Amino acid sequence: MKKEQDISELERKFQEKIDQDIKIEPKDWMPDNYRKTLIRQISQHAHSEVVGMLPEGNWITRAPNLRRKAVLLAKVQDEAGHGLYLYSATETLGADREDCIDDLHSGKAKYSSIFNYPTLTWADMGAVGWLVDGAAIMNQVPLCRCSYGPYARAMVKVCKEESFHQRQGYEIMMALAAGSVEQKEMAQDALNRFWWPSLMMFGPPDEDSKHTKQSMDWRIKRHSNDELRQMMVDITVPQAEAIGLTIPDADLKWNEEKGGYDYGEIDWDEFWNVVKGNGPCNKDRIDTRRKAKENGAWVREAANAHAEKRKARKLRRAS
């Protein structure tokens, strides 16, 4: 009974800090479910950054000029860095990085469904930057105010770099839309294929999201899935109109009363099918990441052996 009272008091003080927007730090007491929720969300975020390198890395050697290649290479490098920050953030919660990665490879852990779609043309690099990174920014900027300190601080740097990624993508789409008839058609085709999957990135509708309410109560999230999705639509539609592209939604129209756009029904069957591992590229993405880990094992072993030798050398000098 005493122990239950103690835990109840700790939970009360914890929620009090949350309500006052005081950051929770790694050594602070936190409920087990808060810790588990963060590990799940942050590791999923890390997996998405690392898997997200694959559809873009596919175009580095085929970029149309040296400038585009250098920018895309820098972007993919940024994504790798984001993954490292986030895996480090999970470690502050007591998670093991290797276990997190193994969960990804086994299919136990998820990553953003958008990366299970193929990038078929150069215009897809524009659509990914503009729409996918645009959706990521919409989701991640509020995370800079997340209640968990290490995650919030990591997001500040991540969001600065994601804003560059989004501008890079929009610039590609703008250049193609202003180019030849074939180039504009390519840009429109990329928009057609990535529009709906980009809206799916925010997750299922609020009524079907089992994590949203608790995450908002803990101020891990600041906005619901549907609120973020609406923000994405309202910001992106004028951007498409500005460069002469058409959002592929016959039901899209401005709603004066709510001050935002009404949009068509999302194909949630497609969303859940991809989440369950049946998307166009699910198997290929996981196979590629698994092979990368296996093929890179000797590098990690060599680095660890070198670190141990340096450590032993320092100890000998100190003794």
Side-chain angles (χ1 to χ4, degrees), residues 164-213:
F164 147 68
H165 300 169
Q166 195 268 349
R167 289 196 298 273
Q168 170 257 0
Y170 190 65
E171 187 206 5
I172 290 173
M173 295 296 271
M174 187 164 52
L176 290 171
S180 65
V181 172
E182 291 82 1
Q183 286 173 321
K184 186 171 183 178
E185 287 175 351
M186 188 192 303
Q188 183 63 57
D189 174 65
L191 171 56
N192 293 347
R193 285 182 289 107
F194 276 92
W195 174 250
W196 293 108
S198 295
L199 295 188
M200 294 175 194
M201 283 179 67
F202 298 102
D206 291 345
E207 62 268 22
D208 296 331
S209 178
K210 60 183 179 180
H211 300 296
T212 291
K213 184 183 184 306

Side-chain angles (χ1 to χ4, degrees), residues 47-60 75-81 83 115 289:
H47 301 329
S48 299
E49 297 284 357
V50 173
V51 175
M53 297 162 61
L54 299 176
E56 295 172 315
N58 181 43
W59 280 91
I60 290 173
K75 183 186 177 192
V76 172
Q77 181 176 285
D78 284 347
E79 307 293 4
F115 300 120
R289 291 310 314 155

Side-chain angles (χ1 to χ4, degrees), residues 282-294:
N282 290 63
K283 186 177 184 302
D284 180 62
R285 299 289 187 241
I286 295 301
D287 285 347
T288 301
R289 291 310 314 155
R290 192 184 294 117
K291 287 174 185 174
K293 183 176 182 182
E294 292 169 357

Side-chain angles (χ1 to χ4, degrees), residues 66-227:
L66 188 58
R67 174 177 173 269
R68 295 292 189 196
K69 180 179 290 190
V71 171
L72 184 58
L73 191 60
K75 183 186 177 192
V76 172
Q77 181 176 285
D78 284 347
E79 307 293 4
H82 298 172
L84 288 174
Y85 306 151
L86 294 164
Y87 284 129
S88 295
T90 64
E91 290 176 323
T92 68
L93 291 156
D96 183 88
R97 183 181 306 206
E98 289 303 310
D99 288 345
C100 289
I101 293 171
D102 289 342
D103 285 347
L104 168 67
H105 295 168
S106 69
K108 180 180 177 182
K110 304 299 182 185
Y111 56 91
S112 182
S113 60
I114 191 72
F115 300 120
N116 290 312
Y117 291 86
T119 47
L120 305 177
T121 70
W122 173 251
D124 289 8
M125 293 299 94
V128 167
W130 173 33
L131 300 175
V132 176
D133 293 317
I137 291 168
M138 200 69 60
N139 200 25
Q140 291 169 16
V141 166
L143 289 175
C144 295
R145 297 185 293 124
C146 167
S147 60
Y148 186 60
Y151 194 21
R153 291 188 288 272
M155 282 298 98
V156 173
K157 179 172 174 59
V158 169
C159 287
K160 286 178 181 177
E161 293 174 349
E162 291 291 357
S163 65
F164 147 68
H165 300 169
Q166 195 268 349
R167 289 196 298 273
Q168 170 257 0
Y170 190 65
E171 187 206 5
I172 290 173
M173 295 296 271
M174 187 164 52
L176 290 171
S180 65
V181 172
E182 291 82 1
Q183 286 173 321
K184 186 171 183 178
E185 287 175 351
M186 188 192 303
Q188 183 63 57
D189 174 65
L191 171 56
N192 293 347
R193 285 182 289 107
F194 276 92
W195 174 250
W196 293 108
S198 295
L199 295 188
M200 294 175 194
M201 283 179 67
F202 298 102
D206 291 345
E207 62 268 22
D208 296 331
S209 178
K210 60 183 179 180
H211 300 296
T212 291
K213 184 183 184 306
Q214 183 61 78
S215 290
M216 291 183 71
D217 288 344
W218 281 331
R219 299 195 182 181
I220 295 172
K221 290 182 69 167
R222 297 283 178 156
H223 303 284
S224 73
N225 296 351
D226 288 335
E227 287 171 349

